[in-house]
């Protein structure tokens, strides 16, 4: 039992750490900012998740206590990580738009305009009373 | 414990309660707030006097906060010196408070009263605490309150000087923490009495670190006390501060001196090995330079507040010359001088304020102005304050200098002390006579703009007058005061009794 | 390499950086310098309790090895105070800038070396 | 076995931190730097979890939780500063 | 009921979080957590106006399951890309995803999901709130990817936010 | 008691005068005259006792520890001197009544005069040398005020300052001399000192004492080369000149020499210095007086000369010379005061004091002329006036005096001086009163009223009387006073006009004859004298002072330049120097505590920290970038705290870091973009050197400390008592809220004050210059138009209750596990700040229900009240108590007062943090709004 647990824990540890490392490696090696954004915001979700699972299992086997509070870390990260990514992407879009960035910003090129009226929110403030406009109530 | 047993904590708890209360009330009812503020000030004076009366039996009283005995918890220690400082601070505070209210200076921002009480809290805490880290905390309290008070009224110049003042003191605080850290690392204690015992027991391998710790600690105190050459921040800061606040600040540099007097004989005294009397070789030259630079500043100042600031520098220098010999007699003289210098410095600032308020656009610039209302009265007050500050008879400044001369005779370097005291006094006499005759005698040439919008009330003369009356009292009652000073100095120079009182005789 | 060396050298680097920046001519640089300096001092004060790995000062019967709680309490107090001071300094220097139009700490400007002209 | 795995994992995270640091140093775009900082925070959380496991101590959990909760606040603030100048409007 | 418990789901979530933090399930813990679970939603109510109704039943759990699964799978895919795909061969694309969800909460949830699954990042919303700008790291067929997002996530979310 | 009355009467008059300053002149004069007359009466009542050797004395302890007592006596010398002061004082007061113009502030004038009188009486009566010093310096001060009385006149102000500088400076030297004298004699009691001549003169300090005392005496008595202030003191109103600068104050120096004669005189040093100074002064003053044209200038220089005469006599060191000096003091007081008053009358009536514009006044102002001639004759040393007798005595004494081995030197020079004295006196008398009539500005001047005339007339009569009836009028007094000076028995004194034909008479007669001759050919001599370069003392003095002030101002200005950079550099340098000193002196070696080996992770973290620090320094002016690197440092710090067993610190660090970054970004928004570099390379090198040294120093200290073994200390007690005594297992938290709760109370107060100060700083920032700048403020950067990004806003809505929950949890468990009020408060604050960030200031502010002020105030009060609560139970302030309680269902739980205290902490922290950030955000927002309003929409 404990051997299996040990193996599982070790595997989770290596998996998690490996994904964290790969994410950071992606941050280094991917060609431009938008692509680099994918590295960490992806790999760290599973990376940290695996580590946390390992932790849960570890404390159960070692200290005999059930610690589920690691899940909370994941919960918070799930709430916050997309926001960070979104904001950073916005920064990037904005900087490209105002010409503050000279090198190619993405393999994908500049973003296409949305089909509807108006532009992306970063370039054009959302008007009142639509889902994209918040906090002006 | 009866209520009287709690008296030592009163000077700290009173302002700690009064500050937030005045803050909360001030927003709605100013009058009530002012009344509360005064009430707090009076109560503090009463508490200080009661403590002062209490220590007359020469016993050192300890108050263990949270009932944690020394050295494990924080203790307040009331000895003669601490009690006297409390009284001095309370008296000065009441006068300054009265002046602020009388002149409406407290209305230039609603936070004056809370800041004022916080400032007193810091001062009283610094006087009372028997714990090194707690001393740091109270230093921070009094510093940050002083920032708040200093910026009261604002103005670009004041803000710029404020930045410098704040930054320098933050660096000073960093040094304090390093010094304290070294002491803790060496002795694993923070209680000053316990430190004294443990410092004395340190082995030879630790002497270098001990000396660094001692020197850095004294450097921090010297920074607060505006000791040359780390006094540079002081003249501009005080000159840029509203005079009524600067008057209160007159005691701030003295807190640095107090901290030296408190810690050096106790912790860095004869038994401290490599740290024994560490500041001694440096303090005397620095003090001499301070007295000279201070009075030179008095001579060359272009404004009354700047002049008052330099006078404070000079008085600190003079005071430290006496302190630097670390002898009971000179220390007693120093303590007397400390009291008078504090009051005289404050008086100079308040007189500057009263003058500024009457001179309209000429403010406190030392230039002739057209005749202004109350010129004779302010001139007379200035004369008396200057006499006190420079140390001419018959006021206490002269007595103080005489005491220092008499007591320092035969001490190492006494000819230098004497020469400095006398020569710097002469510079001060020349300085004050020049500025006074320019300000109050010389009239601006015809055609000069008349004084615009001068204040007419005479209420602002009361506070300086009160301070000068106190100085006179200090002179007349000099015998009693010197006896008190002597007794306080004797206690300070006998650290064993302090240690025994704090740690108990069992140790 | 020992932990002690790492901490000591980190303190050294932080202090050096802090002093250097504190001596610069603009308020924001000075604030940065003070920040570095306060990091260094906190670390110093902390290190004074000696370094102990993985033994937080949480009382339990029978535990003998533990980090010294007192320096930690002191550092906590110092961090709080530092925060208050930093906030005040930042806002004071900002206000001073707004009032005078210059963010230089000293009134009279020194000779300006324009090395970013390119 | 777990001990070895733990140390390997810690080594990986440390390496990841170094890589983040490199990107933070290099930039070139501000976005890159912010991503790098944000990733550093995530890796720091991972490291805290590992430190807790190595020491057999779950008292560090709050630190990781706190970092997960407020670590992104500075990221957002840095972004908002670039986007709007004023982070609170 | 509504006044005492304005947001039962939120309250439940808070209680669970509390118990997770406390790392133990005791009566005392539940009572204390319960108090917070009741008080905090009430206290923070003004900060969350126009809160939409959500269903936390099967639709929600199913959605969670799918997302978790996708995250795990996509993680491996992206890891592969990072490790072995040459930069020049990356087929990065901008995807303009039209959205039918109408509340900002729902749109945010969709966008968050997209970002959490590796390979795609929600970068922006159109000013009218009807399109999502998604950056994809390696996509062969943009239209197919858009369709996948809509069917896999958006339709499910529509059920949750019904 | 009478002595006390004597001393205090003038001061009482000062107070009375100030109190009645708006009353009539008559009342003022009455008060002053009453004080003088009363004093005089009191003095006379004691004269008998003083002369008969039953010396009145009074001693009131003042500063016993110092040896400064209010000790007064009335020995004959004091009697003589006090009599002069009070008698002439009375006459001067009466004279001033007539002299001062209507509208001039008599109260002020007379109060200064009385102040002076009191001080002079004090000098005379002091039986304690320190007490004498008090009064001594007071006379300088009073003289300053009186000379500057006509404050609109530049020469009055300058003369006043010069007099104060010189006499006050001399007084300072005297202080040193007196204290040394006391040290040498073993007492400050004058009576004791006077008996210790042997001890004093044998002391190695004797030369110093002598020189310092003489410096005081010579400056006061205007001895060459300290004489120059006296002529410029003539800018004072004439009553002042008559009183201070002829009759009394300038004689204080002479008095002092006489007073200390027994203990200081009789040595080579004494004789050499005092005699030569007196002789030189006598000659010099007389010589100058002869060629002056201003009446008061003539009188001033003659005074200098006469003072020199007295000093020289005291220098001789013989009893007879002392008697001569004492008698001359009296004579000179009489005739010189009379002459000054006379000059004042002339000035008053004719509008000028220029001898060249005056002449023949005898015919139109007979009474004035009579008293003038009489007094001048006394000054000339003509019989049958008192001046003749004392001059004879002087010449007689000088005839027996050997100087530098020369028998003739002193007598010849003394005769020369007598000649010159006679010459200027006769010139004064003759040129003014006889010859062609010249009346200055006024066509027909006349004798003044009785108020002006009576006082000098009485003095002139006295001068005459002293010649005709010397033994009756002054004999006993002079004899007794001389005895008091010499400390021996009364000398065999014969004051008489005729002593038979002796060398003195011959010298005197020759001198007068030569003087007449000299005046006969005055014009060519004067022309010759005019060629002698006469340095203008006032110009020299003023120029010297001005140069000194300018130089000092430059130096002081250069030193005290308003430079934070300098303040800090000096501070760092001082700390460094002291640290190095200690290290060099005692060595700071590393200890032998085993070190802990560092893991690779730690090394990486270290590397990150070092790199980030370097990056902050390198990016210092790219402020935004520097901030990002600061974040990295903060992160590594948090990791380090965790690694090194300090979870509380890690939590705090993480939370504080976020708040700090927010704060800095808010501020950064309003600062200019990337500023140019300010300092040149050498400056940076210099700062870099300080920085490197500082870093190495502190690092080494840390290293040395960490490698030393732990010492048993107080924290062992904290550990042991945390649970049993403090009711918590988190020892750090128990330390903060219990063992050292007092620190924490101070700490939250610091934070609260910071909040208040910040509010005070920012609240008025929208007005005035700052407000204008804010309104004109405009960022160069182009911004995205979107204010509230949707995803962010939505996330914060969910995060708010979650964060509040986490914060509450951290708060509640802090006593036993990492956490506590401070960290909880930061989490709360961040949760709310997140709303500000996401949804804007107004939106959030409307929804917040509590003000920062209330939070801060309530927090401090809660903490203080918790502390005070223990007083009710008879325990000291901040004593905690805790208990474990059991409730059904819930189970056991703990309640501790420390948690209430922690609640106070949390309130203050939250209040302060929100205050800082919300206020700053608001101002930034105002700026942004102003910007938006300007932009064309
Ligand atoms: Na995704
Ligand atoms: Na951060």
């Amino acid at each position: 039992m404990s051997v299996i647990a040990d193996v599982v824990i070790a595997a989770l540890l290596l998996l998690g750490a490996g994904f964290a490392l790969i994410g950071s490696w992606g941050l280094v090696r991917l060609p431009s900012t938008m692509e680099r954004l994918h590295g960490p915001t992806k790999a760290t979700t599973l990376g940290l998740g695996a580590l946390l699972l390992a932790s849960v299992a570890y404390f159960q086997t070692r200290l005999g206590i059930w610690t589920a509070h690691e899940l909370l870390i994941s919960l918070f990260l799930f709430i916050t990580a997309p926001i960070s990514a979104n904001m950073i992407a916005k920064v990037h879009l904005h900087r490209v738009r105002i010409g503050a960035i000279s090198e190619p910003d993405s393999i994908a090129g500049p973003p296409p305009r949305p089909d509807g009226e108006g532009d992306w929110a970063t370039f054009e403030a959302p008007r009142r009373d639509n889902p994209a406009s918040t906090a002006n109530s | 414990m009866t209520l009287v047993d709690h008296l030592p904590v009163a000077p700290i708890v009173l302002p700690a309660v009064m500050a937030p209360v005045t803050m909360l009330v001030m927003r709605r009812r100013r009058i009530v707030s002012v009344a509360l503020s005064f009430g707090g000030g009076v109560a503090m004076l009463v508490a200080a006097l009661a403590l002062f009366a209490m220590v007359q039996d020469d016993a050192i009283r300890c108050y263990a906060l949270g009932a944690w005995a020394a050295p494990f918890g924080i203790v307040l220690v009331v000895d003669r010196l601490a009690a006297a400082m409390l009284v001095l601070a309370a008296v000065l505070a009441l006068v300054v408070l009265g002046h602020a209210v009388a002149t409406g200076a407290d209305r230039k921002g609603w936070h004056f009263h809370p800041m004022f009480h916080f400032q007193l809290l810091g001062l009283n805490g610094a006087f009372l605490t028997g714990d090194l880290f707690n001393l740091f905390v109270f230093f921070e309290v009094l510093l940050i309150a002083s920032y708040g008070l200093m910026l009261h009224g604002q103005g670009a110049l004041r803000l710029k000087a404020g930045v410098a003042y704040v930054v320098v003191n933050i660096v000073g605080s960093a040094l304090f923490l390093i010094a304290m850290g070294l002491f803790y690392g060496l002795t694993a204690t923070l209680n000053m009495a316990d430190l004294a015992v443990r410092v004395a027991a340190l082995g030879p391998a630790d002497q270098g670190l001990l000396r660094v710790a001692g020197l850095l600690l004294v450097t921090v105190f010297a920074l607060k006390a505006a000791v040359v050459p780390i006094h540079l921040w002081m003249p501009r800061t005080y000159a840029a501060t509203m005079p009524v606040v600067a008057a209160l600040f007159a005691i701030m540099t003295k807190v640095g001196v107090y901290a030296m007097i408190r810690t050096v004989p106790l912790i860095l005294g004869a038994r401290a090995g490599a740290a024994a009397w560490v500041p001694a070789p440096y303090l005397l030259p620095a003090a001499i330079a301070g007295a000279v630079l201070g009075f030179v500043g008095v001579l060359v100042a272009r404004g009354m507040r700047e002049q008052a600031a330099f006078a404070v520098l000079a008085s600190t220098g003079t005071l430290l010359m006496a302190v630097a010999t670390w002898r009971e007699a000179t220390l007693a003289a120093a303590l007397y001088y400390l009291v008078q210098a504090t009051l005289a410095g404050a008086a100079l600032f308040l007189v500057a304020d009263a003058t500024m308020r009457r001179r309209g656009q000429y403010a406190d610039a030392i230039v002739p102005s057209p005749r202004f209302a109350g010129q004779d009265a302010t001139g007379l007050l200035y004369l008396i304050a200057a006499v006190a500050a420079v140390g001419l008879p018959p006021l206490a400044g002269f007595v103080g200098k005489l005491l220092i001369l008499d007591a320092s005779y035969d001490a190492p370097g006494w000819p230098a002390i004497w020469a400095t005291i006398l020569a710097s006094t002469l510079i001060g006499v020349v300085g004050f006579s020049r500025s006074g005759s320019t300000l109050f005698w010389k009239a601006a040439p015809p055609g000069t703009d008349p004084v615009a919008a001068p204040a007419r009330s005479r209420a602002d003369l009361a506070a300086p007058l009160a301070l000068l009356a106190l100085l006179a009292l200090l002179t007349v009652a000099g015998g009693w005061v010197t006896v008190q000073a002597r007794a306080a100095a004797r206690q300070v120079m006998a650290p064993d009794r302090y240690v025994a009182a704090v740690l108990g005789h069992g140790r | 390499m020992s932990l002690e060396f790492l901490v000591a050298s980190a303190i050294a680097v932080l202090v050096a950086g802090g002093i250097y920046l504190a001596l610069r001519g603009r308020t924001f640089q000075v604030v940065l310098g003070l920040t570095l300096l306060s990091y260094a001092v906190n670390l110093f004060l902390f290190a004074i309790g000696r370094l102990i790995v993985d033994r937080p000062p949480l009382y339990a019967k029978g535990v003998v090895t533990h980090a010294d709680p007192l320096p930690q309490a002191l550092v906590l107090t110092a961090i709080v105070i530092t925060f208050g001071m930093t906030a005040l300094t930042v806002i004071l220097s900002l206000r001073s800038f707004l009032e005078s139009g210059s963010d230089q700490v000293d009134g009279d400007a020194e000779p300006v070396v324009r090395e970013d002209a390119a | 076995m777990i001990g070895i795995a733990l140390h390997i994992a810690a080594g990986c995270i440390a390496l990841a931190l170094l890589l983040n640091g490199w990107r933070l140093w290099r930039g070139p775009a501000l976005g890159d730097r912010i991503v790098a900082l944000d990733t550093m925070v995530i890796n720091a959380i991972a490291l805290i979890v590992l430190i807790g496991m190595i020491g057999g101590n779950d008292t560090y959990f709050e630190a990781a939780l706190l970092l997960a909760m407020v670590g992104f606040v500075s990221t957002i603030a840095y972004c908002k500063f670039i986007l709007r100048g004023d982070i609170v409007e | 009921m509504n006044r005492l418990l304005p947001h039962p789901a939120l309250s439940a979530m808070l209680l669970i979080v509390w118990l997770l933090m406390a790392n133990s399930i005791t009566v005392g813990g539940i009572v204390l957590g319960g108090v917070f679970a009741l008080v905090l939603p009430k206290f923070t109510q003004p900060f969350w106006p126009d809160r939409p109704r959500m269903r936390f039943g099967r639709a929600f759990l199913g959605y969670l399951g799918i997302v978790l699964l996708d995250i795990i799978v996509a993680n491996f895919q992206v890891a592969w890309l990072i490790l072995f795909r040459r930069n020049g061969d990356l087929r990065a694309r901008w995807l303009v995803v039209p959205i039918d969800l109408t509340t900002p909460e729902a749109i945010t949830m969709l966008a968050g999901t997209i970002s959490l699954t590796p390979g795609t990042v929600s970068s922006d919303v159109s000013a009218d709130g009807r399109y999502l700008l998604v950056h994809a790291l390696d996509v062969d067929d943009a239209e197919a990817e858009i369709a996948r997002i809509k069917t896999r996530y958006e339709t499910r979310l529509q059920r949750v936010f019904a | 008691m009478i002595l006390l009355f004597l001393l205090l009467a003038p001061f009482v008059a000062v107070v009375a005068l100030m109190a009645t300053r708006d009353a009539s002149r008559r009342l003022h004069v009455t008060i002053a005259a009453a004080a003088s007359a009363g004093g005089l009466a009191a003095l006379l009542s004691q004269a008998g006792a003083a002369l008969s050797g039953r010396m009145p004395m009074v001693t009131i302890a003042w500063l016993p520890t110092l040896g400064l007592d209010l000790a007064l006596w009335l020995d004959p010398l004091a009697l003589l001197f006090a009599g002069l002061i009070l008698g002439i004082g009375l006459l001067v007061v009466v004279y001033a009544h007539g002299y001062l113009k209507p509208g001039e502030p008599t109260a002020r004038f007379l109060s200064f005069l009385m102040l002076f009188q009191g001080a002079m009486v004090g000098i005379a009566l002091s039986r304690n040398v320190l007490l004498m010093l008090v009064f001594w310096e007071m006379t300088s001060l009073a003289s300053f005020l009186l000379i500057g009385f006509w404050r609109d006149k530049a020469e009055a102000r300058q003369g006043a300052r010069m007099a104060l500088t010189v006499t006050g400076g001399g007084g300072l030297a005297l202080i040193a001399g007196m204290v040394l004298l006391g040290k040498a004699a073993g007492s400050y009691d004058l009576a004791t000192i006077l008996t210790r001549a042997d001890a004093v003169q044998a002391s190695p300090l004797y030369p110093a004492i002598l020189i310092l005392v003489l410096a005081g005496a010579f400056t006061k008595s205007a001895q060459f080369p300290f004489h120059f202030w006296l002529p410029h003191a003539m800018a004072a109103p004439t009553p002042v000149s008559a009183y201070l600068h002829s009759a009394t104050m300038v004689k204080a120096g002479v008095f002092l020499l006489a007073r200390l004669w027994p203990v200081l005189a009789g040595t080579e040093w004494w004789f050499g210095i005092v005699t030569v100074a007196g002789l030189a002064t006598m000659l010099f003053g007389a010589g100058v007086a002869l060629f002056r044209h201003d009446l008061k200038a003539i009188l001033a220089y003659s005074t200098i000369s006469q003072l020199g005469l007295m000093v020289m006599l005291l220098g001789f060191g013989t009893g007879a010379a002392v008697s001569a000096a004492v008698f001359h003091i009296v004579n000179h007081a009489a005739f010189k005061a009379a002459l000054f008053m006379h000059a004042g009358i002339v000035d008053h009536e004719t509008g000028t004091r220029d001898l060249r514009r005056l002449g023949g006044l005898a015919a139109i102002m007979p009474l004035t002329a009579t008293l003038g001639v009489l007094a001048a004759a006394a000054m000339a040393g003509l019989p049958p006036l008192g001046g003749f007798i004392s001059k004879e005595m002087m010449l007689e004494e000088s005839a027996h005096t050997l100087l530098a081995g020369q028998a003739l030197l002193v007598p010849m020079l003394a005769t020369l001086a007598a000649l010159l004295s006679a010459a200027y006196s006769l010139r004064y008398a003759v040129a003014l009163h006889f010859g062609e009539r010249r009346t200055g500005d006024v066509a027909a001047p006349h004798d003044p009223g009785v108020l002006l005339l009576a006082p000098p007339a009485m003095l002139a009569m006295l001068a005459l009387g002293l010649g005709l009836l010397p033994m009756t009028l002054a004999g006993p007094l002079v004899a007794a006073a001389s005895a008091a000076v010499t400390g021996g028995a009364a000398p065999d004194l014969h004051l008489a006009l005729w002593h038979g034909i002796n060398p003195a008479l011959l010298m005197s007669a020759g001198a007068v004859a030569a003087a007449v001759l000299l005046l006969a050919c005055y014009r060519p001599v004067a022309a010759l004298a005019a060629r002698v370069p006469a340095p203008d003392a006032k110009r020299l003095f003023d120029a010297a002072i001005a140069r000194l002030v300018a130089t000092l101002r430059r130096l002081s200005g250069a030193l005290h330049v308003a430079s934070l950079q300098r303040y800090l550099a000096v501070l760092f340098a001082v700390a460094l120097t002291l640290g190095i000193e200690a290290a060099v002196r005692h060595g700071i070696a590393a200890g032998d505590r085993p070190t802990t080996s560092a893991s690779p992770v730690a090394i990486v973290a270290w590397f990150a920290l070092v790199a980030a620090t370097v990056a902050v320094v390198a990016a210092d002016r790219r402020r935004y970038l520097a901030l990002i690197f600061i974040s990295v440092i903060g992160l590594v710090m948090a990791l380090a705290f965790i690694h090194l067993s300090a979870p509380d610190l890690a939590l705090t660090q993480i939370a504080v870091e976020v708040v700090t970054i927010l704060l800095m970004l808010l501020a950064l928004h309003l600062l200019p973009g990337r500023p140019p570099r300010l300092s040149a390379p050498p400056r940076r090198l210099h700062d870099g050197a300080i920085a490197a040294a500082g870093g190495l120093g502190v690092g080494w200290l840390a290293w040395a400390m960490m490698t030393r073994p732990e010492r048993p200390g107080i924290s062992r007690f904290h550990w042991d008592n945390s649970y049993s005594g403090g009711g918590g297992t988190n020892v750090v938290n128990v330390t903060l809220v219990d063992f050292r709760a007092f620190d924490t109370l101070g700490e939250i107060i610091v934070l609260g004050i910071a909040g208040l100060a910040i509010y005070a700083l920012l609240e008025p920032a929208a007005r005035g210059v700052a407000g204008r700048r804010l309104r004109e403020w405009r960022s160069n950067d182009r911004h995205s138009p979107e204010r509230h990004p949707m995803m962010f806003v939505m996330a914060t809505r969910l995060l708010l209750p979650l964060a509040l929950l986490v914060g509450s949890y951290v708060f509640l468990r802090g006593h036993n596990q990492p956490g506590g009020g401070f960290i909880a408060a930061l989490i709360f604050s961040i949760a709310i700040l997140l709303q500000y960030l996401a949804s804007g200031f107004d939106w959030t502010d409307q929804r917040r229900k509590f003000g920062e002020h209330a939070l801060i105030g309530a927090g401090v009060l809660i903490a203080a009240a918790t502390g005070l609560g223990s007083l009710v139970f008879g325990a000291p302030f901040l004593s905690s108590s805790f208990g474990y309680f059991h409730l059904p269902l819930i189970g056991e739980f703990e309640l501790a007062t420390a948690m209430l205290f922690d609640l106070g902490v949390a309130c203050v922290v939250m209040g302060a943090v929100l205050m800082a950030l919300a206020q700053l955000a608001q101002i930034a927002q105002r700026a942004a709004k102003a910007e938006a309003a300007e932009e064309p929409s």
Side-chain angles (χ1 to χ4, degrees), chain C residues 1 3-4 9 23-24 26 29 39 50 52 54-55 59 68 72 95 97-99 103 106 110-111, chain F residues 563-565 596 598 606 620-621 623 645 657 670 675-676 678-679 684 687 708-709 715 729 761 773:
Chain C
M1 237 187 292
L3 268 181
E4 282 80 5
S9 55
L23 292 172
R24 298 301 89 211
R26 297 189 188 277
Q29 294 168 305
Y39 281 139
R50 316 299 193 268
I52 305 258
D54 231 344
R55 293 284 176 274
Y59 177 82
D68 190 345
Q72 294 194 14
R95 179 73 210 282
F97 163 69
L98 288 175
E99 209 71 36
D103 70 333
D106 295 342
E110 299 161 62
Chain F
S563 163
L564 173 61
Q565 288 172 294
T596 323
W606 174 87
D620 63 341
R621 285 166 310 120
R623 295 161 165 166
S645 320
E657 186 70 19
L670 297 173
L678 279 174
S679 44
R684 276 180 274 151
D687 294 346
R708 278 168 163 68
S715 57
T729 54
L761 271 171
R773 209 164 259 125

Side-chain angles (χ1 to χ4, degrees), chain A residues 42, chain E residues 114-118 120:
Chain A
K42 314 303 168 208
Chain E
I114 292 170
S115 288
L116 283 173
T117 42
T120 48

Side-chain angles (χ1 to χ4, degrees), chain F residues 550-631:
Chain F
T551 310
L552 289 177
R553 177 168 283 161
R554 212 172 47 244
L555 290 176
S556 179
L559 181 66
H560 295 108
V561 90
S563 163
L564 173 61
Q565 288 172 294
R566 176 178 299 177
Y567 305 166
L568 287 180
V570 171
L571 177 57
F572 287 133
V574 165
L576 254 175
T577 312
L578 293 177
I580 291 170
E581 181 249 39
V584 167
R585 214 188 269 199
H586 297 279
I588 298 175
D592 51 5
R593 181 179 186 265
T595 55
T596 323
S597 71
S599 64
V601 181
I603 295 174
V604 167
W606 174 87
F607 181 76
L609 184 128
V610 170
T613 309
V614 173
V616 170
V617 174
D620 63 341
R621 285 166 310 120
R622 282 176 288 171
R623 295 161 165 166
Y624 178 84
L625 211 53
L627 266 192
I628 289 186
F629 290 120
I630 288 272
S631 286

Side-chain angles (χ1 to χ4, degrees), chain A residues 38 41-42, chain E residues 111-122 134-135:
Chain A
H38 289 273
T41 55
K42 314 303 168 208
Chain E
T113 308
I114 292 170
S115 288
L116 283 173
T117 42
T120 48
V121 171
S122 305
V134 176
H135 186 270

Side-chain angles (χ1 to χ4, degrees), chain F residues 164-191:
Chain F
L164 180 64
T165 307
V166 177
T167 62
L172 291 167
L174 182 62
I175 292 174
M178 287 297 210
V179 178
L180 282 183
L181 179 63
K183 292 292 177 191
S187 170
Y188 293 121
D189 177 59
L190 189 57

